Amino acid sequence: MSDMPVRSPRRLIASAIVAFAAFGAFWGVWGASVPRVRQQAGLDDGRLGFALLFVGAGALPAMLLMGRALDRWGPRVAGAAIAALGCAGTAMVLTAVNLAALCTGLAVVGAASGAADVAMNAVAGRAEKIAGRPVITRAHGVFSGLVVLASLATGAFASLPVAVPFAAVAVASVAAGAALVRALGAETVDRAPEHVPQGRGRVVPFVLIGTLGALGFAGENAHQSWSAVFAHDELHSGAGLSAVAPAVFAGAVAVTRFAVGGLGAVRARAVLLGGAAAAAAGAALIAVAPTLLVAGAGLAVAAAGTAVLFPTLLGVASRGVEESHRGRATSIVSTTSYLGFLLGPVYVGLWADAVGLRGAMLAIAALAAALLVLTPVLLRRAARR
């Protein structure tokens, strides 16, 4: 297989990172705007929870379809996907006046987000392979950092109409998509199907890697979704202090990704094992924490552990894949991993009902311990295939 080189590897790396920044900005704005969107739509907590299910419902099929689109029409499709996310978010917030409208808008947002997620990671994997240096983990660090910054900025300008920050992100998303298209130029990928494994053997290695990603994502989203509740209910902190917990987690994720972003794929197994061990230790520390300070330390350790897992797994999957199959490979890993992201908070809720929140934190630690045990096994099996 051969493919035309991009105009500049540095330009491709920069445009991929800008795309991750726009993606993070969108979700930071959304996270800070949820209460106002709920009020605009006239929903209670139960109906809001129902509406949020449509994000995942839209994302999962779009993630699979985007992989095929990338392989069929080339990586420039990624630019359109990134631009579409910002536009979908603005349309959603402008039309979310009742439950039906919000569900429809969130399904479209989920589809755009899932497509953009796969597209960005595929482009970042391509950039990493072309440049011969780590890109994916640092790009994810930019995403995490922008989630925090955009969330804080949206809160600071809460007096503005709720659509204003979404419109600003839409402009940034369109600009990021256009920059990515320019960086890729007129690139095409020559397909050589005779060199690409067919059928089940083509899919299984990426499902195995995605299974590890699902375990990592389950813990990550569980902490992000339940840390404030844990601080409030178990440590009796006020609403203001409780809200600090998810910010501590997100900030530690961003810092860790920047700190370890320079580690090459050759150290992937050590990074994954270290990350799983840290995630388990951090969750266990939270479970027994007597004060908010100790729980915050546990969150930081857990965040540092989970932060490296998915980007490193993407790097493993991306390292040896052919360009003609990169889109589908990325979509399989991302979609399988995303199932863990969706189910993680539910998993904690079930355990919390059964044994309380402290017991649920130990259940998160058990997920990380399972990841620690399964990582060498599943990576070996994926490599053999």
Side-chain angles (χ1 to χ4, degrees):
M1 185 200 75
S2 63
D3 56 290
M4 295 174 61
V6 295
R7 293 177 180 178
S8 167
R10 287 186 178 181
R11 190 174 178 183
L12 178 59
I13 292 170
S15 61
I17 288 175
V18 168
F20 272 89
F23 193 69
F26 174 84
W27 285 110
V29 167
W30 165 248
S33 302
V34 169
R36 298 178 69 190
V37 173
R38 179 185 63 176
Q39 182 180 19
Q40 175 181 295
L43 306 182
D44 57 22
D45 288 345
R47 290 196 294 172
L48 175 64
F50 173 75
L52 291 175
L53 293 174
F54 283 79
V55 177
L60 287 170
M63 293 172 85
L64 291 171
L65 291 173
M66 176 50 69
R68 293 185 174 274
L70 288 166
D71 292 341
R72 173 64 179 84
W73 291 297
R76 286 193 297 168
V77 175
I82 293 155
L85 175 60
C87 298
T90 303
M92 177 272 297
V93 77
L94 287 173
T95 58
V97 295
N98 54 44
L99 177 61
L102 181 59
C103 289
T104 301
L106 288 178
V108 175
V109 164
S113 175
D117 193 343
V118 170
M120 290 185 310
N121 281 304
V123 171
R126 177 162 179 74
E128 184 166 293
K129 187 173 183 179
I130 291 171
R133 62 177 186 268
V135 175
I136 296 174
T137 302
R138 284 175 175 163
H140 279 260
V142 170
F143 162 78
S144 300
L146 263 293
V147 169
V148 176
L149 292 177
S151 179
L152 294 175
T154 302
F157 293 96
S159 59
L160 296 174
V162 67
V164 170
F166 283 94
V169 169
V171 172
S173 298
V174 171
L180 189 56
V181 170
R182 287 195 299 270
L184 289 164
E187 180 185 9
T188 59
V189 176
D190 296 332
R191 286 160 181 80
E194 67 274 13
H195 296 305
V196 181
Q198 299 296 316
R200 184 170 174 266
R202 182 176 61 187
V203 173
V204 170
F206 304 112
V207 172
L208 294 176
I209 293 171
T211 299
L212 297 175
L215 289 171
F217 259 157
E220 181 175 336
N221 198 27
H223 285 303
Q224 194 69 57
S225 300
W226 283 92
S227 58
V229 178
F230 181 89
H232 184 273
D233 292 358
E234 296 295 327
L235 303 176
H236 310 294
S237 59
L241 283 176
S242 297
V244 172
V248 168
F249 188 87
V253 166
V255 169
T256 302
R257 285 174 174 168
F258 284 121
V260 304
L263 295 177
V266 69
R267 299 183 179 89
R269 182 169 298 193
V271 170
L272 291 170
L273 293 176
L285 180 58
I286 296 167
V288 299
T291 65
L292 184 60
L293 182 62
V294 176
L299 270 175
V301 173
T306 60
V308 300
L309 298 175
F310 183 64
T312 303
L313 288 165
L314 272 178
V316 170
S318 175
R319 181 172 51 186
V321 73
E322 300 223 20
E323 291 304 324
S324 59
H325 190 52
R326 182 175 298 282
R328 278 166 288 182
T330 305
S331 72
I332 292 166
V333 173
S334 298
T335 305
T336 308
S337 299
Y338 189 66
L339 291 173
F341 185 85
L342 292 176
L343 295 176
V346 178
Y347 171 83
V348 173
L350 293 174
W351 276 104
D353 282 343
V355 296
L357 274 174
R358 290 187 182 272
M361 294 300 110
L362 290 176
I364 298 176
L367 286 180
L371 178 62
L372 183 65
V373 172
L374 289 174
T375 290
V377 177
L378 296 189
L379 287 184
R380 277 197 303 269
R381 291 187 178 180
R384 282 201 300 268
R385 291 207 174 246

